[in-house]
Amino acid sequence: MKNKIVYMLLTIGLVWGAIACEDKDFEGIVSNTDDYVSETGGDYYEGGGIDVSHYDRARAFPGLVDTLTERRLDEAIVNIDLSRNSVAPDKVNLKAVAPAIYSTGLYAGAGEKITLTLDDDVKGLIVQIGVHTRDLSSLVGVAYLERDVKITSAMPLFQGTNEIRSPYGGYIWIKRTGANNPDAPTIALKVKGAYAAPDYIQGETDADEWIQRINETTVPWIELRGEQMAFSVPVKYMKRKLQQGKTFVTRMDEALRLWNDWMLCYNEFYGLDGEDMENYPDFPKLEFPFREVMDIHLLTERFSYFSTTNVELLSSEELIDAITDPEQIKQNALNICHVMGWIQTDMYTPTYFPTATLTNFKDMYLLMPNYYFLYKNGWWGETNTSRVFSGKKQGTNVMASTSYQLMSSAFDHLSAFARADSSKIFNDEAKRAVKEDYGGDGVTWPAVFSIFSSILSYKQVDTDKDGWKFFGYLNRFLSKQSEVFPTSRRLNLQDAMLSCLTTYFERDFSQVFDRWGIMVGDVQREEAVKYNYMEKCIWDYNPFKRNETTIYDGRAFQTLSGKYPYLHSRSDWAVVAYSGEGDNLKPKNYSYNFTGNKHLTNLDDNPDKYNEVFRSPYNLFDSDRGTVWSSYHDPYTDVKWFDGEQKYAFKVDRLYYEAETPEYPYSIVIQPGNAGINMDGVYMAFGYQREASIYNGDVKDYQTYDFHPQHIIVEVTNSPLEYDDIDTLYTNIKEIQWKRVYDSKNDPKGGKENGQQFWPDRCNT
């Protein structure tokens, strides 16, 4: 009889609330237990009625608990393990990571008072009622809203009794702020006035018991939870899906395991695996799940968006299927990009990443967690596939799905390219290895993917180190770079990779970069050669075939004599460029040696010095693709070349306007320092692409010109070169004896079809 009276009074209260409280300020009732309390709501646990002022809105979203049938818990104990690890994103070089939020398995009814008793004096705990934290105020008057703009309530917890009431109700979270404390205790938080939310915990919840609880509950929201990923979902969809019976629970449990694996890949990749707490105390193993919350109205995107704490998913059956169906996860179904895409593109993404990276290196690098997730589960064989998943932003706020077509034949061609014993330039040549696979001029990303997957294949069984753990080590290093060093002193990605490969595995990995034509710095190379070379030819690894790579003999690679190292440190080299010959031999402007270049660091106020650095012939071997030696640096006018064809001056900077015809030929003289006695050959490599941007617009047929030299001659001398550091030239260059060892005119493989232009392309060795 009492229940019937309560129900009638609640109905009357709803009408009263809609009339009397329609224009009340929402902020005035957050975390408050006095305003808008209707005695018609009934008396429970010795205090206060139910605030029914927002019942009509709460019924629309997030939903109401049936207070006539659902049993309110007298008291629930929530154990809060304060030793669990979390991190501040800015400390680990990421935009966002899984926050320190404790799931309680409890739900607060709309307008019902929740009492939380904390016996311990603990600082930094916050109770939050409701998981839908997105404020939709910006959409008021712009769009029809499916829910009120603010529907969560929160307040800090203090020792003793704490009371909170939310007019909308919601699932109860406990948030924690502050630093980690591995010695902190587990405390008991006593919660009174809440309802049990029948969460599903992967690997723990009994399927039969959960099915019964879901069918009986009137709580509108629960969590599907694993160690690494937790989803806040409406109960109505669970009831609908459970019409399939226990098979749905079995599939859902497998799906949650897969989400755990995938999220763990992200944490491990970015170094959040607790592997090196001594050197990187800010990189513990994360012990809170990343959260995905369904909502009935999103700020922008149709199906998903992101906040600072979680991904927001549209409350729909399509996305419930994406969450709970393991086959959709394995196949990278369309909606999977909404679950993982924002994590990849806007949350678990580095705030600092080396700017000087090779083509496609950053894109493929950030996809490594997705690749490893697929790789470790063995979801491809020896057939073509589009398995490398990528969430992709279209515009600012819209997430779409894309993938990379992986072709088995392409990786065979890339292995052959890496095995080729010759000089290469990665950006220009690696893509040509897969030209026939991908059409056109080819693409670079398969080569990048091949490099990363080959590193992943490397293992040291005796040390428990492998290529996957290396990437976590690398990301911790990059984070420290951004924190400690100014921009000018941070390494580019390839140098950072070699440095970390060296220190992590204590092996010389410079061979990997050489095989792909990737220049690395002399400092990193000198450090690497102190260690033994790697044991396997990992550049020959095929991710489709997962083939065992052959034993690597590091004693010989590019040099015929088998001397090691095969590339030399150039830190003590000197170089001068000349034009003319014989008595007319004269040094070209801006010829600086290594030391001279490295001292030119403050370039902003001195553009002439900028020109000196970026036109020095030393730039030919400074490991930086962004610097070049300008062979045309002598000012000149339009001239006819030896073949009678008209060539055009490059109309750039003051040189063009102070033009005079240069004297041919151009000469580069290199003194290789202490390495000279061990050198046994010269390799030459050039870019092959024609450039249009440097030609003036009035040149209509610029496509016929490229940068290939017309004629290459190599001469050597055994006589000591006398170098003048002040005038940066060799004083005895004319007096000593030179020996011609190569002439491209006499090399049948040295030219293109017309026999005029020198075309190295792994031929002139």
Side-chain angles (χ1 to χ4, degrees):
M1 182 67 180
K2 181 179 179 181
N3 287 342
K4 290 184 179 179
I5 294 174
V6 172
Y7 179 76
M8 293 172 63
L9 293 177
L10 280 174
T11 305
I12 296 171
L14 284 174
V15 177
W16 173 84
I19 297 173
C21 305
E22 185 174 352
D23 59 351
K24 297 296 183 181
D25 181 12
F26 170 76
E27 296 294 343
I29 60 175
V30 173
S31 303
N32 194 305
T33 60
D34 297 324
D35 296 347
Y36 304 105
V37 174
S38 171
E39 294 301 330
T40 60
D43 184 52
Y44 63 97
Y45 68 88
E46 302 176 353
I50 298 176
D51 173 7
V52 296
S53 62
H54 285 58
Y55 248 43
D56 55 339
R57 306 177 194 180
R59 175 179 284 108
F61 193 85
L64 296 177
V65 179
D66 187 345
T67 58
L68 298 179
T69 61
E70 195 73 34
R71 187 178 73 86
R72 190 180 294 113
L73 301 177
D74 294 332
E75 185 177 79
I77 303 296
V78 178
N79 292 316
I80 307 296
D81 182 359
L82 298 176
S83 68
R84 289 170 64 181
N85 291 321
S86 65
V87 296
D90 61 323
K91 295 294 185 181
V92 293
N93 192 38
L94 293 172
K95 292 182 180 179
V97 296
I101 297 176
Y102 298 85
S103 300
T104 64
L106 300 174
Y107 196 90
E112 301 186 32
K113 184 172 67 175
I114 301 297
T115 302
L116 304 99
T117 303
L118 190 61
D119 294 332
D120 303 89
D121 185 13
V122 178
K123 302 296 188 295
L125 293 182
I126 298 170
V127 59
Q128 178 175 304
I129 296 179
V131 297
H132 305 95
T133 55
R134 174 65 71 180
D135 182 351
L136 300 177
S137 299
S138 62
L139 299 183
V140 173
V142 178
Y144 172 76
L145 298 180
E146 303 285 346
R147 66 164 174 86
D148 277 5
V149 295
K150 302 177 185 177
I151 60 173
T152 60
S153 302
M155 62 177 281
L157 294 176
F158 299 97
Q159 187 176 23
T161 300
N162 304 265
E163 295 180 344
I164 184 172
R165 188 196 306 269
S166 167
Y168 297 93
Y171 190 96
I172 300 175
W173 276 348
I174 303 297
K175 295 183 174 182
R176 193 190 81 201
T177 61
N180 291 331
N181 181 1
D183 299 321
T186 297
I187 62 170
L189 179 65
K190 302 172 185 177
V191 183
K192 190 175 182 180
Y195 301 96
D199 294 346
Y200 185 90
I201 304 175
Q202 188 267 327
E204 296 183 17
T205 302
D206 179 79
D208 294 323
E209 179 183 344
W210 186 71
I211 291 173
Q212 180 180 351
R213 293 183 66 196
I214 288 295
N215 286 329
E216 293 175 353
T217 190
T218 64
V219 168
W221 288 84
I222 63 165
E223 287 187 342
L224 308 177
R225 196 176 345 135
E227 289 186 4
Q228 301 294 331
M229 187 83 87
F231 298 90
S232 296
V233 300
V235 170
K236 66 178 182 179
Y237 287 123
M238 296 297 100
K239 291 179 181 289
R240 188 178 306 172
K241 293 299 179 182
L242 283 176
Q243 294 176 9
Q244 303 171 19
K246 193 173 180 179
T247 56
F248 168 74
V249 184
T250 302
R251 293 198 309 275
M252 182 178 70
D253 193 84
E254 181 185 357
L256 290 175
R257 179 191 66 80
L258 294 176
W259 290 125
N260 283 342
D261 285 350
W262 200 337
M263 199 64 233
L264 187 61
C265 289
Y266 271 86
N267 286 333
E268 291 176 345
F269 180 76
Y270 286 110
L272 294 166
D273 51 12
E275 286 285 320
D276 192 3
M277 291 294 291
E278 181 178 352
N279 295 312
Y280 296 95
D282 291 330
F283 286 81
K285 182 177 181 180
L286 286 191
E287 297 176 346
F288 288 93
F290 187 85
R291 297 183 178 272
E292 309 241 354
V293 177
M294 285 195 153
D295 200 335
I296 200 171
H297 200 117
L298 305 183
L299 187 62
T300 54
E301 153 81 73
R302 179 184 174 192
F303 283 108
S304 61
Y305 201 50
F306 73 103
S307 69
T308 56
T309 59
N310 57 267
V311 171
E312 301 166 352
L313 301 174
L314 185 67
S315 183
S316 63
E317 192 161 0
E318 298 102 308
L319 288 178
I320 287 289
D321 289 337
I323 293 170
T324 59
D325 185 355
E327 295 307 312
Q328 288 201 33
I329 301 172
K330 296 173 185 178
Q331 296 168 13
N332 288 325
L334 177 64
N335 285 326
I336 298 303
C337 77
H338 294 291
V339 180
M340 296 303 296
W342 294 110
I343 298 176
Q344 175 199 331
T345 60
D346 274 291
M347 303 183 77
Y348 270 67
T349 56
T351 51
Y352 158 74
F353 193 83
T355 53
T357 58
L358 300 168
T359 304
N360 290 118
F361 255 66
K362 182 175 182 179
D363 292 342
M364 297 309 299
Y365 184 89
L366 300 181
L367 281 174
M368 281 297 101
N370 294 337
Y371 161 64
Y372 188 68
F373 172 63
L374 300 172
Y375 169 85
K376 67 187 289 192
N377 284 285
W379 289 335
W380 59 38
E382 296 185 28
T383 57
N384 294 342
T385 180
S386 295
R387 284 297 199 186
V388 182
F389 160 83
S390 170
K392 181 181 180 182
K393 282 197 298 183
Q394 294 183 339
T396 304
N397 300 321
V398 180
M399 181 63 61
S401 179
T402 186
S403 59
Y404 288 83
Q405 179 68 25
L406 301 176
M407 306 181 72
S408 182
S409 59
F411 289 100
D412 288 334
H413 294 147
L414 288 168
S415 293
F417 173 83
R419 286 195 303 269
D421 188 3
S422 62
S423 57
K424 308 161 192 177
I425 295 181
F426 177 80
N427 279 350
D428 287 342
E429 295 181 321
K431 59 187 175 184
R432 284 191 283 161
V434 295
K435 183 175 181 179
E436 64 183 85
D437 303 292
Y438 291 97
D441 291 329
V443 288
T444 308
W445 69 260
V448 181
F449 183 78
S450 188
I451 294 169
F452 291 151
S453 61
S454 70
I455 293 174
L456 281 173
S457 72
Y458 184 76
K459 291 180 174 59
Q460 285 184 337
V461 179
D462 56 330
T463 63
D464 193 34
K465 295 179 179 179
D466 58 45
W468 175 244
K469 293 177 183 177
F470 156 75
F471 280 102
Y473 181 88
L474 173 61
N475 276 299
R476 288 190 291 267
F477 174 85
L478 293 177
S479 179
K480 184 63 69 176
Q481 282 261 304
S482 67
E483 178 183 337
V484 174
F485 296 110
T487 303
S488 60
R489 292 185 58 196
R490 297 173 190 170
L491 298 180
N492 60 38
L493 182 60
Q494 54 268 34
D495 286 349
M497 288 179 66
L498 177 55
S499 179
C500 288
L501 285 166
T502 300
T503 55
Y504 184 67
F505 291 115
E506 296 184 340
R507 294 288 187 274
D508 178 7
F509 275 76
S510 55
Q511 177 74 194
V512 173
F513 299 88
D514 296 334
R515 287 285 179 174
W516 292 98
I518 297 173
M519 295 297 293
V520 288
D522 286 330
V523 173
Q524 288 70 42
R525 186 180 294 280
E526 287 178 354
E527 185 64 27
V529 299
K530 296 177 182 177
Y531 296 91
N532 292 332
Y533 46 82
M534 71 185 79
E535 305 89 341
K536 300 283 188 179
C537 300
I538 62 173
W539 51 86
D540 199 22
Y541 177 77
N542 188 321
F544 272 85
K545 300 176 181 178
R546 299 197 180 196
N547 56 305
E548 180 69 19
T549 54
T550 57
I551 299 297
Y552 168 55
D553 181 2
R555 292 172 298 176
F557 169 46
Q558 290 180 332
T559 57
L560 299 176
S561 65
K563 293 185 179 73
Y564 185 83
Y566 37 83
L567 291 181
H568 301 277
S569 171
R570 294 155 296 185
S571 59
D572 59 348
W573 286 21
V575 58
V576 173
Y578 295 87
S579 62
E581 58 185 332
D583 293 336
N584 293 324
L585 186 70
K586 52 187 177 184
K588 292 167 63 64
N589 294 333
Y590 310 125
S591 298
Y592 281 77
N593 65 359
F594 181 89
T595 304
N597 266 346
K598 291 304 178 183
H599 283 128
L600 299 176
T601 55
N602 187 13
L603 306 176
D604 294 338
D605 300 327
N606 195 335
D608 288 337
K609 288 294 183 184
Y610 177 91
N611 289 336
E612 291 176 8
V613 170
F614 283 88
R615 289 175 181 147
S616 165
Y618 182 79
N619 293 328
L620 293 173
F621 44 80
D622 69 349
S623 303
D624 186 352
R625 299 293 190 198
T627 60
V628 296
W629 171 60
S630 303
S631 61
Y632 57 86
H633 197 280
D634 284 345
Y636 63 89
T637 56
D638 298 348
V639 296
K640 289 187 177 181
W641 287 23
F642 65 87
D643 59 359
E645 186 176 1
Q646 182 74 30
K647 298 294 182 180
Y648 296 91
F650 299 114
K651 296 184 179 180
V652 292
D653 66 33
R654 56 190 173 84
L655 296 179
Y656 176 79
Y657 302 102
E658 299 173 2
E660 63 183 42
T661 303
E663 296 186 43
Y664 297 105
Y666 296 132
S667 303
I668 301 174
V669 182
I670 300 171
Q671 180 173 272
N674 294 329
I677 58 175
N678 295 319
M679 295 184 71
D680 65 350
V682 176
Y683 284 79
M684 285 173 269
F686 302 89
Y688 75 98
Q689 290 178 315
R690 295 176 175 134
E691 297 290 343
S693 59
I694 61 171
Y695 288 91
N696 190 273
D698 59 3
V699 180
K700 306 304 181 185
D701 55 348
Y702 60 80
Q703 294 90 344
T704 62
Y705 310 117
D706 57 31
F707 282 124
H708 295 123
Q710 305 297 301
H711 188 190
I712 292 289
I713 297 173
V714 178
E715 294 184 339
V716 298
T717 183
N718 292 323
S719 302
L721 289 168
E722 298 175 3
Y723 183 68
D724 187 325
D725 287 303
I726 297 177
D727 294 329
T728 61
L729 53 81
Y730 294 102
T731 58
N732 65 335
I733 187 174
K734 299 178 183 179
E735 288 78 25
I736 59 179
Q737 185 67 40
W738 296 86
K739 178 183 178 181
R740 182 166 300 189
V741 296
Y742 178 78
D743 188 332
S744 65
K745 281 189 175 181
N746 301 325
D747 185 347
K749 298 186 295 183
K752 293 169 67 176
E753 292 181 2
N754 59 12
Q756 294 295 321
Q757 292 183 320
F758 184 78
W759 185 260
D761 192 22
R762 301 185 300 279
C763 295
N764 308 100
T765 56

